[in-house]
Amino acid sequence: MSKLVTIYGGSGFVGRYIARRMAKEGWRVRVAVRRPNEAMYVKPYGVPGQVEPVLCNIRDDASVAAAMQGADAVVNCVGILNAHGKNGFDAVQVDGAARVARKAHKMGVERLVHISALGADVEGASDYARTKALGEEAVRGYFPGAVILRPSVIFGTEDQFFNRFAGMASLSPVLPIAKGKTLFQPVYVDDVARAAVKGVLGEAEPGLYELGGPEVKSFAELMKEMCAIIHRRRLVVSMPGIAAWPLAFGFDMLQAASLQLIENKVLSRDQLKNLATDNVVSEGAKGFADLGITPEVMGPVLPSYLWKFRPSGQYDEMTASAGNLKGDA
């Protein structure tokens, strides 16, 4: 275990999968997070002492440098969906990304993998898309040999997409969504991790990769498929932007009025702007095929973790079977 990789945000949704795979590759893994005491679950990913969470704030130079000390490779998974307190889009996704790349270059790190997002655009309407693109530019400026990954919406056991809406569908007969016609190309979290590992190991050419799964579906279609999986008959209502805007504005104002004590985790105005653009891989872009990876389809994966939202949870199939037997009798 002579090689060391530092993963910023390594206890998060994507980061933990990368950490697990890097441990399996025999590397020492340093998981740089704001609250290491809440990231102890990463330690069993390897043998004792192989995976260690360390304190780091991506907004602080000294903190980022300390976590990078002695690292052979660096992965930056830090990103936000909603600006909250000091963790604004520019502070985290532009300045934070630039800080990691600048320190990596200065400290002689061999390889850098940066996790961005599909739809990143310096001219984008949303702050999320704009800052993701500016972060990429900063990374390339300081570390031209970086591997930059742009995944579409990511699904997996701990995701904030299907889990959130499945929770809503389990409580209400109506599932309201905004911009239901927007297209997505969902990608499995472990496939993104496999791509990141390719970058760390030097098995991916430097540059930009757009990562999308094998299926392209609209927001509304994804929600209907999800409802079928959790055995809930729900009316999926797609709200146009003009109808969803007051709702997003209200949640943003609630966050502001509470002095950031209440975080808007439902729908923000910036997220609404981001939903105006399809989230699919660009024609001709490098992607999974260039990395030698065949992405996983959603079908076999979604039921493996969404079962908990079914009426009877893990026993729902058994309950249905019992009902069928009673009907046959």
Side-chain angles (χ1 to χ4, degrees):
M1 294 190 293
S2 59
K3 292 282 190 177
L4 169 66
V5 59
T6 296
I7 306 176
Y8 293 92
S11 66
F13 177 36
V14 178
R16 68 183 70 185
Y17 285 82
I18 300 174
R20 185 184 291 115
R21 282 192 167 272
M22 289 309 305
K24 288 182 179 179
E25 291 288 339
W27 283 52
R28 289 181 295 134
V29 182
R30 185 180 291 156
V31 175
V33 292
R34 286 187 297 163
R35 301 181 183 90
N37 60 307
E38 297 178 7
M40 293 301 174
Y41 56 83
V42 302
K43 296 181 68 125
Y45 291 170
V47 299
Q50 184 182 3
V51 183
E52 290 293 336
V54 298
L55 177 65
C56 178
N57 186 335
I58 201 169
R59 294 185 284 107
D60 179 73
D61 276 19
S63 180
V64 169
M68 199 180 295
Q69 192 67 44
D72 299 281
V74 166
V75 181
N76 181 19
C77 301
V78 180
I80 57 173
L81 294 173
N82 179 52
H84 184 248
K86 294 182 180 179
N87 292 315
F89 286 116
D90 285 283
V92 174
Q93 298 185 164
V94 182
D95 299 340
R99 184 171 291 110
V100 170
R102 184 174 70 249
K103 294 295 182 183
H105 172 72
K106 183 177 180 180
M107 299 175 73
V109 173
E110 293 178 30
R111 298 188 183 98
L112 170 64
V113 177
H114 178 72
I115 309 296
S116 183
L118 207 57
D121 182 1
V122 291
E123 302 295 333
S126 71
D127 287 336
Y128 177 81
R130 176 184 60 81
T131 55
K132 278 293 188 181
L134 291 174
E136 290 178 3
E137 289 187 353
V139 168
R140 284 192 291 264
Y142 288 110
F143 207 107
V147 170
I148 299 175
L149 305 178
R150 284 183 175 181
S152 182
V153 62
I154 304 175
F155 67 92
T157 305
E158 307 86 0
D159 71 46
Q160 298 179 45
F161 185 70
F162 287 110
N163 277 301
R164 175 191 295 182
F165 288 104
M168 293 169 58
S170 66
L171 298 173
S172 171
V174 178
L175 181 60
I177 60 173
K179 303 278 188 178
K181 294 182 179 180
T182 301
L183 298 177
F184 290 95
Q185 197 168 349
V187 57
Y188 183 41
V189 61
D190 199 41
D191 289 335
V192 178
R194 290 165 65 195
V197 170
K198 292 267 189 182
V200 172
L201 299 180
E203 297 174 2
E205 292 292 325
L208 182 65
Y209 295 83
E210 295 194 355
L211 307 181
E215 302 164 273
V216 176
K217 295 188 177 183
S218 71
F219 193 0
E221 288 173 333
L222 291 174
M223 293 300 98
K224 291 175 183 176
E225 182 174 335
M226 178 203 71
C227 287
I229 289 172
I230 64 174
H231 302 166
R232 306 273 187 176
R233 291 185 177 181
R234 297 294 184 256
L235 177 63
V236 178
V237 178
S238 177
M239 297 183 293
I242 192 170
W245 189 262
L247 183 66
F249 178 80
F251 284 119
D252 280 344
M253 291 305 100
L254 178 61
Q255 176 174 302
S258 68
L259 301 179
Q260 307 293 322
L261 293 176
I262 300 175
E263 183 178 356
N264 180 3
K265 294 184 178 181
V266 182
L267 178 67
S268 70
R269 287 170 293 175
D270 196 70
Q271 290 167 351
L272 195 56
K273 292 176 183 177
N274 205 41
L275 281 170
T277 306
D278 289 338
N279 200 253
V280 296
V281 172
S282 306
E283 186 176 352
K286 290 197 297 184
F288 279 125
D290 300 275
L291 297 169
I293 297 173
T294 301
E296 184 68 69
V297 296
M298 291 182 287
V301 179
L302 295 183
S304 70
Y305 66 94
L306 292 180
W307 57 264
K308 58 183 175 287
F309 297 104
R310 292 171 176 171
S312 301
Q314 62 184 320
Y315 303 107
D316 213 51
E317 297 287 356
M318 189 183 301
T319 302
S321 297
N324 291 335
L325 287 173
K326 188 180 295 185
D328 293 339

